[in-house]
Amino acid sequence: MLPKLKARAITRAQRRLAPVMEPGETVLEVDICQGGSDLFQILSGRGPRVHVALSDRALYLIQRGGGTDRLPISEISDVDFKDRPDPNDLVASAVHAADRLARLVKVRLWDGTTVALMPLGRKAVATFGAELKERVPDRTVAEHRIDFGDGRGLRVFQQRGRPGSVGYDWNFVPDDGVEVHKEPLRALLDQRMRELMRAAGDPNAESPQP
């Protein structure tokens, strides 16, 4: 977007959102995307159109018809956004241009809600993505590996929890074919996870697990 057009768009968004913004809140970026939680609908080009405005305190999703969702930065736990590669890197640029998912912005809230946003335009990159990602930094503290033998196992991500919470958040990605919700791997995973948590100084290591 050209600088003058961008400045006008930001001014319009600031004026439109004034009734729902906090005193002193300022719009930083604006964009138009296809949005929602149905990824297939978005990738097929049938996602609902949404105007996106990023302020210094919240992400705003303005729906057709005037409805506005305000997502405070403090309520966002993770942002999945890939920056455009260096234009001098022709291979990376070609891969990025061919991968529609590379342009998708996924926003996850602390309550588990996920919103996907795809900027309009075949090669468009979300103008708000880099700024939003900077304001919601990666929560990953460390990545671990749990092996069950025969090369089987899973990756474990140790992440900072919600501000004010005790301990860490722990998420894992099993290797293909590893069913950790069935015995005997379920009991083994519980044991190994508690060992990891103790080593990390997480007080939740001794809490009953569901």
Side-chain angles (χ1 to χ4, degrees):
M1 186 180 295
L2 296 176
K4 287 186 178 180
L5 293 177
K6 177 179 177 179
R8 291 173 186 169
I10 288 178
T11 299
R12 287 196 299 270
Q14 184 85 32
R15 188 164 51 242
R16 180 174 184 176
L17 295 170
V20 296
M21 294 176 75
E22 297 175 348
E25 189 173 351
T26 303
V27 173
L28 305 173
E29 296 285 354
V30 293
D31 209 339
I32 302 176
C33 299
Q34 289 180 333
S37 56
D38 188 333
L39 185 57
F40 177 78
Q41 187 181 43
I42 293 174
L43 293 178
S44 63
R46 295 183 289 107
R49 181 172 171 143
V50 57
H51 288 257
V52 180
L54 174 65
S55 78
D56 54 343
R57 303 178 197 176
L59 182 68
Y60 292 89
L61 308 178
I62 306 169
Q63 315 291 336
R64 179 173 293 179
T68 301
D69 292 323
R70 184 179 191 271
L71 309 180
I73 298 296
S74 60
E75 293 300 317
I76 299 176
S77 64
D78 297 280
V79 174
D80 186 358
F81 168 76
K82 296 180 176 63
D83 289 301
R84 191 194 296 271
D86 183 338
N88 293 320
D89 189 335
L90 300 182
V91 174
S93 296
V95 171
H96 185 274
D99 183 7
R100 292 198 66 202
L101 287 174
R103 300 189 292 113
L104 191 70
V105 181
K106 289 188 285 187
V107 179
R108 285 178 287 275
L109 307 185
W110 286 109
D111 65 6
T113 302
T114 299
V115 177
L117 299 165
M118 176 71 79
L120 294 181
R122 191 169 63 86
K123 296 183 179 180
V125 176
T127 59
F128 62 92
E131 182 74 27
L132 178 60
K133 189 172 182 179
E134 182 176 336
R135 292 176 180 275
V136 185
D138 185 2
R139 297 191 297 126
T140 301
V141 175
E143 182 177 337
H144 309 273
R145 173 79 184 177
I146 291 179
D147 289 310
F148 297 130
D150 300 327
R152 301 181 307 153
L154 47 77
R155 296 160 63 203
V156 180
F157 299 92
Q158 177 186 347
Q159 299 177 311
R160 289 187 297 274
R162 182 172 187 151
S165 64
V166 177
Y168 296 100
D169 287 345
W170 298 85
N171 295 291
F172 56 83
V173 179
D175 294 343
D176 291 342
V178 175
E179 299 183 1
V180 294
H181 299 295
K182 296 182 179 181
E183 299 296 355
L185 292 186
R186 180 174 179 175
L188 183 56
L189 174 62
D190 181 75
Q191 174 190 337
R192 299 292 297 278
M193 281 298 303
R194 288 181 186 277
E195 292 172 0
L196 272 180
M197 294 168 74
R198 291 189 190 102
D202 190 331
N204 296 317
E206 308 308 325
S207 300
Q209 298 297 314

